[in-house]
């Protein structure tokens, strides 16, 4: 017996953010179809959801046309490599999922007359020259730099989403997510939080890129998911920034992780990646006004929860 009031399709639902989104949608009483190729996601992220009769996992690449039976009310399109380590290793696949994958997800929303949410990114602002970043800023992207495979794929996804809205009448909205962190980030996916926590737990040096003065604004995953669902439930078209407006330098992030883990790992300065954005902080006044949303989780609390989860995962792996 399905208990659902509506049906949502989550592409990339076995990934870090997607799995939290699926979990929350199920808790809110929706039927959920999770479509994921597991290229960077993990079956473990959704193992606890699989017994729920309202949850269906389909292992599939969204670059191939896909369908689900019955009515669909909402398509949340998250499928895409997201960590720089992943998209630099899979440049063509990243461009393909941003173009063909997004086309297929939009086609599904059009066929089903569903609302469509595009999970875009702060990377559409590139290495921004305006601070904080407002949705009206057009960005500073190097179209032939290594990060362009992700940045331009997401910019194309935004343009495609807009074209489907304006020319095909699909009810779309664009969310621009800023750096999100929390439990279920892959330990070795290269992003700053799991990397520092992993290194601190092992007593290894924390690899700070450049002099660590570049900034990021970290949003806890439950807050991001709340923002995405409020945006999906609104009638807005976006784009709307979803992120934390509290900015930290990368060196500060390393120091907080050391403090929370009680680690005496040294800091090791490594080369700054090409085109690494120097400052990133969202202006979230649009999300506050339109959705009554702002992040609630203090960074120390969110990092403590992430550390506890990663430590437990390590202990479990060691005992197995
Ligand atoms: P993730 O790598 O954990 O999740 C991405 C998921 O997409 C994975 O499960 C992966 O297997 C799946 N996927 C990738 N290509 C696919 C394909 N062709 N077909 C089917 N599935 C595919 O990353 P995440 O951090 O959870 O990011 C989720 C989404 O949010 C991405 O679109 C990302 O660009 C966006 N985003 C995330 C952040 C962040 O800080 N986490 C920031 C900005 C934007
Ligand atoms: N970073 C770092 N050490 C690492 C991994 C990342 O100093 O081991 C830096 C990275 O250079 C960037 C910031 O942390 O300045 C955030 O990187 P991440 O890969 O998490 O995401 P980005 O915001 O660059 O997409």
């Amino acid at each position: 017996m399905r208990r659902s009031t509506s049906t949502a399709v989550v592409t990339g639902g076995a990934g870090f953010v997607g799995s939290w989104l699926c979990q929350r949608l199920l808790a809110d009483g929706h039927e959920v179809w999770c479509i994921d190729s597991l290229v960077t996601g993990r079956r473990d992220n959704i193992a606890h959801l699989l017994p729920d009769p309202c949850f269906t996992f389909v292992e599939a690449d969204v670059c191939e046309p896909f369908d689900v039976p019955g009515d669909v009310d909402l398509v949340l399109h998250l499928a895409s490599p997201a960590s720089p380590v992943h998209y630099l290793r899979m440049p063509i696949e990243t461009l393909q999922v941003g173009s063909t994958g997004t086309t297929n997800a939009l086609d599904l929303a059009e066929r089903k007359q569903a609302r469509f949410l595009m999970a875009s990114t702060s990377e559409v602002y590139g290495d921004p020259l305006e601070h904080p970043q407002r949705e009206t800023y057009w960005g500073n992207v190097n179209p032939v730099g290594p990060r362009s495979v992700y940045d331009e794929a997401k910019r194309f996804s935004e343009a495609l989403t807009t074209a489907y809205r304006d020319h095909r009448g699909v009810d779309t909205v664009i969310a621009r997510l800023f750096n999100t962190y929390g439990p279920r980030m892959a330990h070795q996916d290269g992003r700053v939080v799991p990397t520092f926590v992993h290194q601190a737990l092992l007593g290894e040096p924390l690899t700070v890129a450049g002099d660590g003065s570049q900034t990021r604004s970290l949003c806890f995953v439950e807050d991001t998911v709340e923002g995405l669902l409020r945006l999906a439930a609104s009638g807005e078209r976006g784009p709307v920034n979803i992120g934390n407006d509290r900015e930290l330098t990368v060196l500060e992030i390393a120091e907080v992780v050391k403090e929370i883990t009680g680690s005496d790992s040294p800091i090791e300065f490594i080369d700054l990646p090409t085109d690494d954005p120097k400052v990133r902080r969202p202006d979230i006044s649009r999300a506050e006004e339109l959705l009554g949303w702002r992040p609630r989780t203090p960074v120390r609390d969110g990092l403590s929860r992430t550390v506890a989860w990663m430590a437990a995962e390590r202990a479990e792996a060691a005992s197995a």
Side-chain angles (χ1 to χ4, degrees):
M1 262 289 278
R2 299 277 187 199
R3 65 168 188 267
S4 66
T5 52
S6 73
T7 299
V9 171
V10 182
T11 74
F16 159 53
V17 179
S19 65
W20 284 92
L21 202 47
C22 290
Q23 181 176 320
R24 174 67 196 276
L25 284 161
L26 287 168
D28 289 350
H30 301 277
E31 178 170 344
V32 177
W33 289 79
C34 165
I35 319 283
D36 200 302
S37 64
L38 300 179
V39 64
T40 60
R42 297 192 308 162
R43 200 176 280 271
D44 279 357
N45 286 343
I46 50 165
H48 62 300
L49 307 178
L50 291 171
D52 190 323
C54 288
F55 182 71
T56 308
F57 171 56
V58 180
E59 186 173 340
D61 184 340
V62 297
C63 293
E64 300 298 327
F66 62 97
D67 203 359
V68 301
D71 293 338
V72 173
D73 304 281
L74 177 62
V75 176
L76 298 134
H77 179 46
L78 280 81
S80 169
S83 159
V85 167
H86 288 154
Y87 63 69
L88 294 175
R89 198 174 66 218
M90 296 181 283
I92 312 290
E93 293 84 346
T94 303
L95 285 158
Q96 280 168 341
V97 75
S99 49
T100 310
T102 302
T103 305
N104 289 333
L106 279 159
D107 283 342
L108 176 72
E110 184 180 26
R111 281 197 306 279
K112 302 285 186 180
Q113 297 188 311
R115 174 119 163 117
F116 177 90
L117 181 140
M118 174 64 219
S120 186
T121 170
S122 54
E123 284 277 333
V124 299
Y125 302 120
D127 188 0
L129 304 175
E130 280 186 16
H131 310 293
Q133 289 84 55
R134 290 190 193 90
E135 290 88 346
T136 46
Y137 178 49
W138 290 358
N140 177 40
V141 173
N142 174 357
V144 291
R147 296 174 87 98
S148 64
V149 297
Y150 181 66
D151 301 8
E152 299 291 14
K154 291 289 185 178
R155 288 168 72 98
F156 181 86
S157 288
E158 289 201 9
L160 193 65
T161 300
T162 304
Y164 268 69
R165 182 182 181 94
D166 292 343
H167 299 280
R168 299 256 186 106
V170 181
D171 178 17
T172 64
V173 61
I174 296 166
R176 290 186 181 149
L177 281 67
F178 281 63
N179 294 69
T180 295
Y181 72 101
R184 296 192 207 135
M185 286 190 101
H187 290 223
Q188 317 257 18
D189 84 1
R191 287 184 277 192
V192 65
V193 168
T195 303
F196 286 173
V197 174
H198 184 76
Q199 290 166 336
L201 291 173
L202 288 175
E204 291 177 353
L206 270 59
T207 50
V208 170
D211 62 4
S213 63
Q214 71 275 28
T215 67
R216 293 295 186 272
S217 307
L218 301 178
C219 193
F220 190 62
V221 64
E222 286 180 338
D223 290 330
T224 297
V225 163
E226 175 68 30
L228 291 178
L229 291 178
R230 284 192 194 201
L231 190 53
S234 75
E236 299 299 330
R237 65 181 287 160
V240 176
N241 289 337
I242 300 290
N244 196 343
D245 52 1
R246 167 126 198 273
E247 192 178 4
L248 292 168
T249 67
V250 165
L251 196 52
E252 282 169 336
I253 298 171
E255 276 154 9
V256 180
V257 167
K258 279 186 59 169
E259 200 185 302
I260 291 171
T261 52
S263 166
D264 56 8
S265 290
I267 302 283
E268 180 186 322
F269 293 96
I270 60 169
D271 288 345
L272 194 64
T274 308
D275 295 341
D276 196 278
K278 286 177 264 317
V279 180
R280 187 185 286 154
R281 178 162 71 93
D283 180 320
I284 55 170
S285 45
R286 197 178 268 186
E288 285 185 296
E289 276 161 33
L290 299 176
L291 313 173
W293 175 88
R294 60 170 295 110
R296 300 270 164 229
T297 313
V299 169
R300 268 168 204 280
D301 293 0
L303 284 174
S304 297
R305 285 180 63 184
T306 310
V307 166
W309 177 81
M310 285 184 72
E313 278 247 311
R314 272 176 42 77
E316 203 177 303
S319 70

